[in-house]
Amino acid sequence: MVDGNTSREQLLEIFRSVDTQTLITMALIFLIAYVLGRIITILLLKLSEKLSHTGRIKVEVVIPIIKFVIYLIAFYFIFREIFKIFGPEIFLLAGLLGAAIGFGLKDLFSDIVGGLVITFEKPYQIGDKISIGNYFGEVTDIGLRSTKLFTPDANVVTAPNSLIFKETVASANYGVSEMMVVIDLYIAGESHVETAMRILWEAVVSSKYVYISKERPVILLHKALPFYTRLRAKAYVNDLRDQFKFESDVHTRAWVEFQKNGIRAPQLHILNIPSIEEKYESEATTRRNMGSNAEGLKDSR
C-alpha cells in the first residue's frame, strides 16, 4: 500500500519529468483558442451591426456557442497531452486538482460552469438588456469566465458568470429586438387627468421610435396618489438601443403640451424654516425681551 508521502513524491517526480516542449505546446493550444475566439467574435459582431435588428440578434446568439466549442476542443487536446504525461497517475492528479478547486480555484471553476450554463440554458444572450445584481446594461460579450455589459453611462462592466447562481436575472427583451419601455410622468393632483392622458397618448403613438403591433400594443394607466397623479405609458421600441431616445422624446413633447394646457408638475410643500440669520436675530430679540422683563421686575421691587 502506498502512503501519502510516497504519492506526493511520485507526483512531484512526474511533474519534474514534464519537458518544456510539452508545456509550450499546451500554452500554444490555449493561446490559439483564445485568439481564434476573439477574431471570430469581432468579425461576427461587425457583421451583426450591418444586419437588421432581427438578423443582429440571430448572429450574436451563436457567438458564445462558437467560443465554447473552440475552448472545449482546446481543452480536449490539452488533456490529451496531460494524459500522455501522467497516464494512470492522472487520477491522483485529478484528486489534487479537486482539492485545489475546493480551496483556491473554486471561484474560477464556478465562473466557468456559470459560462456553460449561460451558453446552453440562455438565461440571457448577447444583445439582451439585463439586470443582474447591481448591474444593468446591454450584454456585449459572454466569455469563459465573465460577461461584459455596456451600461447606459457608456461604462463596460465585467460581471463574473457565477453571478447567475447567486442573483436574479431580468432580461428586458430576452432574445428579441423589441423591448417594452415604461414611462412615468407625475402631475399635480388637481390637474385634468383626461387631458393629460390624451396628450401622453399622442406623444407615445407619434414618436418615431415606438413600435406598435397587435402583439405590442400601447397601454396607458393612471393612479391617483395623495399628493400627485402618476401617468404610466407602456410601449415597445423596435430596437432596444432606442430606449432612452424614446423616453426623452415622449417626456419632452408631453411636457410641452402639458404646459400649454395648464397641467403642472406636483409642488413640494416645504416647511418655512427660517434662515440662520433670521434665527439668530429672533433669539437675540428674545434674549433682549427677557432682559427687559427682568429689569422691569427689579424696578418694580
Side-chain angles (χ1 to χ4, degrees), residues 230-279:
R230 186 194 68 195
L231 307 182
R232 171 166 289 180
K234 294 183 176 181
Y236 286 82
V237 289
N238 193 30
D239 187 342
L240 56 88
R241 294 178 179 175
D242 292 334
Q243 174 192 359
F244 299 110
K245 296 175 185 173
F246 178 54
E247 286 186 46
S248 177
D249 181 48
V250 172
H251 269 267
T252 302
R253 293 189 296 117
W255 276 110
V256 169
E257 293 301 317
F258 282 173
Q259 290 176 356
K260 290 179 182 176
N261 289 271
I263 298 170
R264 58 183 179 80
Q267 301 297 311
L268 293 176
H269 299 284
I270 302 175
L271 294 176
N272 186 20
I273 301 175
S275 62
I276 295 176
E277 291 79 6
E278 291 175 346
K279 184 178 180 181

Short mmCIF file of all heavy atoms in Angstrom, two decimals, residues 230-279:
data_model
loop_
_atom_site.label_atom_id
_atom_site.label_comp_id
_atom_site.label_asym_id
_atom_site.label_seq_id
_atom_site.Cartn_x
_atom_site.Cartn_y
_atom_site.Cartn_z
N ARG A 230 -49.99 59.80 -10.97
CA ARG A 230 -48.96 59.17 -11.80
C ARG A 230 -49.59 58.68 -13.10
O ARG A 230 -50.57 57.95 -13.09
CB ARG A 230 -48.33 57.97 -11.09
CG ARG A 230 -47.16 57.36 -11.85
CD ARG A 230 -46.78 56.01 -11.30
NE ARG A 230 -47.82 55.03 -11.56
CZ ARG A 230 -47.89 53.84 -10.96
NH1 ARG A 230 -47.01 53.51 -10.05
NH2 ARG A 230 -48.86 52.99 -11.25
N LEU A 231 -49.01 59.11 -14.23
CA LEU A 231 -49.40 58.62 -15.55
C LEU A 231 -48.34 57.65 -16.01
O LEU A 231 -47.14 57.95 -15.93
CB LEU A 231 -49.53 59.76 -16.55
CG LEU A 231 -50.43 60.94 -16.15
CD1 LEU A 231 -50.47 61.95 -17.29
CD2 LEU A 231 -51.83 60.48 -15.79
N ARG A 232 -48.76 56.50 -16.50
CA ARG A 232 -47.78 55.49 -16.92
C ARG A 232 -48.11 55.02 -18.33
O ARG A 232 -49.26 54.67 -18.63
CB ARG A 232 -47.78 54.30 -15.96
CG ARG A 232 -46.96 53.11 -16.44
CD ARG A 232 -46.73 52.12 -15.33
NE ARG A 232 -45.79 52.65 -14.34
CZ ARG A 232 -45.40 51.99 -13.26
NH1 ARG A 232 -45.89 50.79 -13.02
NH2 ARG A 232 -44.54 52.53 -12.42
N ALA A 233 -47.10 55.04 -19.20
CA ALA A 233 -47.25 54.53 -20.57
C ALA A 233 -46.35 53.32 -20.73
O ALA A 233 -45.17 53.34 -20.36
CB ALA A 233 -46.87 55.61 -21.57
N LYS A 234 -46.92 52.25 -21.30
CA LYS A 234 -46.14 51.04 -21.62
C LYS A 234 -46.19 50.86 -23.13
O LYS A 234 -47.26 50.64 -23.70
CB LYS A 234 -46.72 49.82 -20.92
CG LYS A 234 -46.61 49.87 -19.40
CD LYS A 234 -47.15 48.59 -18.78
CE LYS A 234 -46.96 48.58 -17.27
NZ LYS A 234 -47.45 47.31 -16.67
N ALA A 235 -45.03 50.95 -23.75
CA ALA A 235 -44.96 50.82 -25.21
C ALA A 235 -43.63 50.17 -25.59
O ALA A 235 -42.70 50.11 -24.78
CB ALA A 235 -45.11 52.19 -25.87
N TYR A 236 -43.55 49.70 -26.83
CA TYR A 236 -42.34 49.00 -27.29
C TYR A 236 -41.54 49.86 -28.25
O TYR A 236 -42.10 50.69 -28.97
CB TYR A 236 -42.73 47.70 -28.00
CG TYR A 236 -43.20 46.61 -27.06
CD1 TYR A 236 -44.52 46.59 -26.60
CD2 TYR A 236 -42.34 45.62 -26.65
CE1 TYR A 236 -44.95 45.60 -25.75
CE2 TYR A 236 -42.78 44.62 -25.79
CZ TYR A 236 -44.08 44.61 -25.34
OH TYR A 236 -44.51 43.63 -24.49
N VAL A 237 -40.24 49.62 -28.25
CA VAL A 237 -39.38 50.18 -29.29
C VAL A 237 -38.91 49.01 -30.15
O VAL A 237 -38.77 47.88 -29.66
CB VAL A 237 -38.16 50.93 -28.70
CG1 VAL A 237 -38.60 52.22 -28.05
CG2 VAL A 237 -37.41 50.06 -27.68
N ASN A 238 -38.67 49.29 -31.42
CA ASN A 238 -38.27 48.20 -32.34
C ASN A 238 -36.84 47.76 -32.09
O ASN A 238 -36.49 46.60 -32.32
CB ASN A 238 -38.42 48.68 -33.79
CG ASN A 238 -38.34 47.53 -34.76
OD1 ASN A 238 -38.70 46.40 -34.44
ND2 ASN A 238 -37.85 47.80 -35.96
N ASP A 239 -36.01 48.66 -31.62
CA ASP A 239 -34.62 48.35 -31.30
C ASP A 239 -34.37 48.78 -29.87
O ASP A 239 -34.56 49.94 -29.52
CB ASP A 239 -33.68 49.10 -32.25
CG ASP A 239 -32.23 48.67 -32.07
OD1 ASP A 239 -31.91 48.07 -31.03
OD2 ASP A 239 -31.43 48.94 -32.97
N LEU A 240 -33.92 47.86 -29.03
CA LEU A 240 -33.74 48.18 -27.61
C LEU A 240 -32.77 49.33 -27.38
O LEU A 240 -32.80 49.96 -26.34
CB LEU A 240 -33.29 46.93 -26.85
CG LEU A 240 -32.02 46.21 -27.34
CD1 LEU A 240 -30.78 46.78 -26.69
CD2 LEU A 240 -32.12 44.72 -27.03
N ARG A 241 -31.92 49.61 -28.36
CA ARG A 241 -30.98 50.72 -28.20
C ARG A 241 -31.67 52.08 -28.30
O ARG A 241 -31.05 53.11 -28.05
CB ARG A 241 -29.87 50.61 -29.26
CG ARG A 241 -29.00 49.39 -29.06
CD ARG A 241 -27.94 49.27 -30.11
NE ARG A 241 -27.11 48.10 -29.88
CZ ARG A 241 -26.16 47.69 -30.70
NH1 ARG A 241 -25.90 48.37 -31.82
NH2 ARG A 241 -25.44 46.61 -30.42
N ASP A 242 -32.95 52.07 -28.70
CA ASP A 242 -33.71 53.33 -28.77
C ASP A 242 -34.45 53.63 -27.47
O ASP A 242 -35.26 54.56 -27.43
CB ASP A 242 -34.72 53.28 -29.93
CG ASP A 242 -34.02 53.27 -31.28
OD1 ASP A 242 -32.90 53.78 -31.36
OD2 ASP A 242 -34.61 52.74 -32.24
N GLN A 243 -34.22 52.86 -26.45
CA GLN A 243 -34.98 53.01 -25.20
C GLN A 243 -34.94 54.44 -24.66
O GLN A 243 -35.97 55.07 -24.42
CB GLN A 243 -34.43 52.05 -24.13
CG GLN A 243 -35.05 52.24 -22.76
CD GLN A 243 -34.31 51.50 -21.66
OE1 GLN A 243 -33.31 50.82 -21.93
NE2 GLN A 243 -34.78 51.61 -20.45
N PHE A 244 -33.75 54.98 -24.49
CA PHE A 244 -33.63 56.30 -23.85
C PHE A 244 -34.02 57.42 -24.81
O PHE A 244 -34.53 58.46 -24.37
CB PHE A 244 -32.22 56.48 -23.32
CG PHE A 244 -31.86 55.47 -22.28
CD1 PHE A 244 -30.93 54.48 -22.54
CD2 PHE A 244 -32.50 55.45 -21.05
CE1 PHE A 244 -30.63 53.52 -21.60
CE2 PHE A 244 -32.21 54.49 -20.10
CZ PHE A 244 -31.27 53.51 -20.38
N LYS A 245 -33.79 57.21 -26.11
CA LYS A 245 -34.24 58.21 -27.08
C LYS A 245 -35.77 58.30 -27.04
O LYS A 245 -36.34 59.39 -27.11
CB LYS A 245 -33.77 57.83 -28.48
CG LYS A 245 -32.27 57.82 -28.66
CD LYS A 245 -31.92 57.32 -30.05
CE LYS A 245 -30.42 57.17 -30.21
NZ LYS A 245 -30.08 56.53 -31.51
N PHE A 246 -36.42 57.16 -26.95
CA PHE A 246 -37.88 57.12 -26.90
C PHE A 246 -38.39 57.82 -25.63
O PHE A 246 -39.30 58.64 -25.69
CB PHE A 246 -38.33 55.66 -26.94
CG PHE A 246 -39.81 55.47 -26.86
CD1 PHE A 246 -40.66 56.11 -27.74
CD2 PHE A 246 -40.37 54.65 -25.89
CE1 PHE A 246 -42.04 55.94 -27.67
CE2 PHE A 246 -41.74 54.47 -25.81
CZ PHE A 246 -42.58 55.12 -26.70
N GLU A 247 -37.80 57.49 -24.50
CA GLU A 247 -38.22 58.12 -23.23
C GLU A 247 -38.06 59.63 -23.30
O GLU A 247 -38.97 60.38 -22.92
CB GLU A 247 -37.39 57.56 -22.07
CG GLU A 247 -37.75 56.16 -21.65
CD GLU A 247 -36.99 55.73 -20.41
OE1 GLU A 247 -36.93 56.51 -19.46
OE2 GLU A 247 -36.44 54.61 -20.42
N SER A 248 -36.91 60.08 -23.79
CA SER A 248 -36.65 61.52 -23.85
C SER A 248 -37.62 62.21 -24.81
O SER A 248 -38.14 63.29 -24.50
CB SER A 248 -35.20 61.75 -24.30
OG SER A 248 -34.94 63.12 -24.44
N ASP A 249 -37.89 61.58 -25.94
CA ASP A 249 -38.79 62.16 -26.94
C ASP A 249 -40.20 62.32 -26.36
O ASP A 249 -40.82 63.40 -26.48
CB ASP A 249 -38.82 61.25 -28.16
CG ASP A 249 -39.72 61.79 -29.25
OD1 ASP A 249 -39.58 62.99 -29.57
OD2 ASP A 249 -40.55 61.04 -29.77
N VAL A 250 -40.70 61.28 -25.70
CA VAL A 250 -42.05 61.34 -25.12
C VAL A 250 -42.11 62.36 -23.99
O VAL A 250 -43.05 63.17 -23.90
CB VAL A 250 -42.49 59.94 -24.64
CG1 VAL A 250 -43.80 60.03 -23.87
CG2 VAL A 250 -42.64 58.99 -25.82
N HIS A 251 -41.13 62.36 -23.11
CA HIS A 251 -41.10 63.31 -21.99
C HIS A 251 -41.14 64.74 -22.51
O HIS A 251 -41.91 65.58 -22.03
CB HIS A 251 -39.84 63.09 -21.16
CG HIS A 251 -40.03 62.12 -20.03
ND1 HIS A 251 -40.36 62.50 -18.76
CD2 HIS A 251 -39.94 60.77 -20.01
CE1 HIS A 251 -40.47 61.44 -17.99
NE2 HIS A 251 -40.20 60.37 -18.72
N THR A 252 -40.27 65.03 -23.47
CA THR A 252 -40.15 66.41 -23.95
C THR A 252 -41.45 66.91 -24.57
O THR A 252 -41.97 67.97 -24.20
CB THR A 252 -39.02 66.49 -25.00
OG1 THR A 252 -37.80 66.03 -24.42
CG2 THR A 252 -38.84 67.92 -25.49
N ARG A 253 -42.00 66.12 -25.50
CA ARG A 253 -43.19 66.60 -26.21
C ARG A 253 -44.42 66.60 -25.30
O ARG A 253 -45.29 67.45 -25.41
CB ARG A 253 -43.42 65.75 -27.45
CG ARG A 253 -42.28 65.98 -28.47
CD ARG A 253 -42.53 65.35 -29.82
NE ARG A 253 -42.58 63.91 -29.73
CZ ARG A 253 -43.65 63.19 -30.01
NH1 ARG A 253 -44.77 63.81 -30.37
NH2 ARG A 253 -43.65 61.88 -29.93
N ALA A 254 -44.50 65.65 -24.38
CA ALA A 254 -45.65 65.63 -23.46
C ALA A 254 -45.62 66.84 -22.54
O ALA A 254 -46.67 67.50 -22.32
CB ALA A 254 -45.63 64.34 -22.65
N TRP A 255 -44.47 67.21 -22.00
CA TRP A 255 -44.42 68.33 -21.07
C TRP A 255 -44.64 69.67 -21.76
O TRP A 255 -45.19 70.61 -21.15
CB TRP A 255 -43.10 68.34 -20.29
CG TRP A 255 -43.19 67.44 -19.10
CD1 TRP A 255 -42.56 66.26 -18.91
CD2 TRP A 255 -44.00 67.64 -17.93
NE1 TRP A 255 -42.90 65.70 -17.72
CE2 TRP A 255 -43.79 66.52 -17.09
CE3 TRP A 255 -44.88 68.63 -17.52
CZ2 TRP A 255 -44.43 66.39 -15.86
CZ3 TRP A 255 -45.53 68.50 -16.29
CH2 TRP A 255 -45.30 67.39 -15.48
N VAL A 256 -44.24 69.76 -23.01
CA VAL A 256 -44.54 70.99 -23.77
C VAL A 256 -46.05 71.18 -23.87
O VAL A 256 -46.59 72.27 -23.64
CB VAL A 256 -43.89 70.93 -25.17
CG1 VAL A 256 -44.43 72.06 -26.05
CG2 VAL A 256 -42.38 71.03 -25.06
N GLU A 257 -46.76 70.09 -24.18
CA GLU A 257 -48.23 70.16 -24.29
C GLU A 257 -48.89 70.33 -22.91
O GLU A 257 -49.92 71.00 -22.79
CB GLU A 257 -48.76 68.90 -24.98
CG GLU A 257 -48.36 68.79 -26.44
CD GLU A 257 -48.86 69.97 -27.27
OE1 GLU A 257 -50.02 70.37 -27.07
OE2 GLU A 257 -48.08 70.50 -28.09
N PHE A 258 -48.31 69.72 -21.89
CA PHE A 258 -48.85 69.89 -20.53
C PHE A 258 -48.86 71.37 -20.15
O PHE A 258 -49.84 71.89 -19.62
CB PHE A 258 -48.02 69.11 -19.52
CG PHE A 258 -48.29 67.62 -19.50
CD1 PHE A 258 -47.51 66.77 -18.75
CD2 PHE A 258 -49.34 67.08 -20.23
CE1 PHE A 258 -47.76 65.40 -18.72
CE2 PHE A 258 -49.60 65.72 -20.22
CZ PHE A 258 -48.80 64.88 -19.46
N GLN A 259 -47.75 72.05 -20.42
CA GLN A 259 -47.64 73.47 -20.04
C GLN A 259 -48.64 74.32 -20.81
O GLN A 259 -49.21 75.27 -20.28
CB GLN A 259 -46.21 73.96 -20.28
CG GLN A 259 -45.21 73.35 -19.30
CD GLN A 259 -43.79 73.77 -19.60
OE1 GLN A 259 -43.53 74.45 -20.59
NE2 GLN A 259 -42.86 73.34 -18.75
N LYS A 260 -48.87 73.97 -22.08
CA LYS A 260 -49.84 74.73 -22.89
C LYS A 260 -51.25 74.55 -22.34
O LYS A 260 -52.10 75.43 -22.49
CB LYS A 260 -49.80 74.25 -24.35
CG LYS A 260 -48.53 74.64 -25.09
CD LYS A 260 -48.58 74.10 -26.51
CE LYS A 260 -47.30 74.44 -27.26
NZ LYS A 260 -47.29 73.84 -28.63
N ASN A 261 -51.53 73.41 -21.72
CA ASN A 261 -52.88 73.10 -21.22
C ASN A 261 -53.00 73.28 -19.71
O ASN A 261 -53.96 72.80 -19.10
CB ASN A 261 -53.24 71.66 -21.59
CG ASN A 261 -53.50 71.49 -23.08
OD1 ASN A 261 -54.63 71.66 -23.54
ND2 ASN A 261 -52.46 71.20 -23.83
N GLY A 262 -52.03 73.94 -19.11
CA GLY A 262 -52.12 74.26 -17.68
C GLY A 262 -51.93 73.07 -16.76
O GLY A 262 -52.35 73.11 -15.59
N ILE A 263 -51.29 72.03 -17.24
CA ILE A 263 -51.02 70.86 -16.39
C ILE A 263 -49.60 71.00 -15.86
O ILE A 263 -48.65 71.14 -16.63
CB ILE A 263 -51.17 69.56 -17.21
CG1 ILE A 263 -52.60 69.42 -17.71
CG2 ILE A 263 -50.78 68.33 -16.38
CD1 ILE A 263 -52.81 68.31 -18.71
N ARG A 264 -49.47 70.99 -14.57
CA ARG A 264 -48.15 71.23 -13.99
C ARG A 264 -47.69 70.05 -13.14
O ARG A 264 -48.48 69.16 -12.80
CB ARG A 264 -48.17 72.51 -13.14
CG ARG A 264 -49.18 72.49 -12.02
CD ARG A 264 -49.20 73.81 -11.27
NE ARG A 264 -50.19 73.80 -10.20
CZ ARG A 264 -50.00 73.24 -9.02
NH1 ARG A 264 -48.87 72.65 -8.73
NH2 ARG A 264 -50.95 73.28 -8.09
N ALA A 265 -46.40 70.10 -12.82
CA ALA A 265 -45.81 69.03 -12.01
C ALA A 265 -46.23 69.20 -10.55
O ALA A 265 -46.60 70.31 -10.13
CB ALA A 265 -44.29 69.08 -12.13
N PRO A 266 -46.18 68.16 -9.76
CA PRO A 266 -46.52 68.29 -8.33
C PRO A 266 -45.58 69.27 -7.65
O PRO A 266 -44.39 69.34 -7.95
CB PRO A 266 -46.32 66.87 -7.79
CG PRO A 266 -46.32 65.98 -8.98
CD PRO A 266 -45.81 66.78 -10.12
N GLN A 267 -46.15 70.06 -6.72
CA GLN A 267 -45.35 71.03 -5.98
C GLN A 267 -44.96 70.44 -4.63
O GLN A 267 -45.77 69.79 -3.96
CB GLN A 267 -46.15 72.32 -5.75
CG GLN A 267 -46.59 72.98 -7.04
CD GLN A 267 -45.42 73.43 -7.89
OE1 GLN A 267 -44.52 74.10 -7.37
NE2 GLN A 267 -45.42 73.08 -9.16
N LEU A 268 -43.73 70.69 -4.25
CA LEU A 268 -43.27 70.22 -2.95
C LEU A 268 -43.71 71.22 -1.89
O LEU A 268 -43.51 72.43 -2.04
CB LEU A 268 -41.75 70.07 -2.93
CG LEU A 268 -41.20 68.97 -3.83
CD1 LEU A 268 -39.67 69.00 -3.79
CD2 LEU A 268 -41.70 67.61 -3.38
N HIS A 269 -44.31 70.76 -0.81
CA HIS A 269 -44.74 71.62 0.29
C HIS A 269 -43.65 71.62 1.35
O HIS A 269 -43.61 70.78 2.25
CB HIS A 269 -46.06 71.13 0.86
CG HIS A 269 -47.15 71.13 -0.14
ND1 HIS A 269 -47.81 72.28 -0.56
CD2 HIS A 269 -47.70 70.12 -0.87
CE1 HIS A 269 -48.73 71.98 -1.46
NE2 HIS A 269 -48.67 70.68 -1.67
N ILE A 270 -42.74 72.58 1.21
CA ILE A 270 -41.61 72.64 2.13
C ILE A 270 -41.96 73.56 3.30
O ILE A 270 -42.51 74.64 3.11
CB ILE A 270 -40.36 73.16 1.40
CG1 ILE A 270 -40.05 72.23 0.23
CG2 ILE A 270 -39.19 73.26 2.35
CD1 ILE A 270 -38.91 72.72 -0.62
N LEU A 271 -41.67 73.16 4.50
CA LEU A 271 -41.92 73.98 5.68
C LEU A 271 -41.11 75.26 5.62
O LEU A 271 -39.98 75.28 5.13
CB LEU A 271 -41.56 73.19 6.94
CG LEU A 271 -42.42 71.97 7.22
CD1 LEU A 271 -41.86 71.23 8.44
CD2 LEU A 271 -43.86 72.37 7.46
N ASN A 272 -41.65 76.35 6.11
CA ASN A 272 -40.99 77.66 6.09
C ASN A 272 -39.98 77.72 7.24
O ASN A 272 -40.25 78.24 8.31
CB ASN A 272 -42.02 78.78 6.21
CG ASN A 272 -41.38 80.14 6.04
OD1 ASN A 272 -40.29 80.25 5.47
ND2 ASN A 272 -42.05 81.16 6.53
N ILE A 273 -38.81 77.16 6.99
CA ILE A 273 -37.77 77.12 8.02
C ILE A 273 -36.96 78.41 7.92
O ILE A 273 -36.48 78.76 6.85
CB ILE A 273 -36.86 75.91 7.81
CG1 ILE A 273 -37.72 74.63 7.88
CG2 ILE A 273 -35.75 75.88 8.85
CD1 ILE A 273 -36.94 73.38 7.56
N PRO A 274 -36.83 79.19 9.01
CA PRO A 274 -36.08 80.44 8.92
C PRO A 274 -34.61 80.20 8.66
O PRO A 274 -34.05 79.16 9.00
CB PRO A 274 -36.29 81.06 10.32
CG PRO A 274 -36.60 79.90 11.21
CD PRO A 274 -37.32 78.91 10.36
N SER A 275 -33.98 81.21 8.00
CA SER A 275 -32.56 81.10 7.74
C SER A 275 -31.77 81.26 9.03
O SER A 275 -32.31 81.63 10.08
CB SER A 275 -32.13 82.18 6.73
OG SER A 275 -32.36 83.45 7.30
N ILE A 276 -30.46 81.02 8.97
CA ILE A 276 -29.62 81.10 10.17
C ILE A 276 -29.61 82.52 10.73
O ILE A 276 -29.69 82.75 11.93
CB ILE A 276 -28.18 80.65 9.82
CG1 ILE A 276 -28.21 79.17 9.42
CG2 ILE A 276 -27.24 80.88 11.00
CD1 ILE A 276 -26.88 78.65 8.97
N GLU A 277 -29.54 83.55 9.79
CA GLU A 277 -29.51 84.93 10.25
C GLU A 277 -30.82 85.29 10.96
O GLU A 277 -30.83 85.92 12.03
CB GLU A 277 -29.29 85.88 9.08
CG GLU A 277 -27.91 85.79 8.46
CD GLU A 277 -27.76 84.60 7.54
OE1 GLU A 277 -28.78 83.91 7.30
OE2 GLU A 277 -26.63 84.33 7.09
N GLU A 278 -31.96 84.86 10.34
CA GLU A 278 -33.25 85.17 10.95
C GLU A 278 -33.37 84.48 12.31
O GLU A 278 -33.91 85.05 13.26
CB GLU A 278 -34.38 84.70 10.02
CG GLU A 278 -34.48 85.52 8.74
CD GLU A 278 -35.52 84.95 7.79
OE1 GLU A 278 -35.95 83.80 8.02
OE2 GLU A 278 -35.89 85.65 6.84
N LYS A 279 -32.87 83.26 12.41
CA LYS A 279 -32.96 82.53 13.67
C LYS A 279 -32.13 83.23 14.75
O LYS A 279 -32.55 83.37 15.90
CB LYS A 279 -32.45 81.10 13.45
CG LYS A 279 -32.58 80.21 14.69
CD LYS A 279 -32.10 78.80 14.37
CE LYS A 279 -32.22 77.92 15.62
NZ LYS A 279 -31.75 76.55 15.35
#
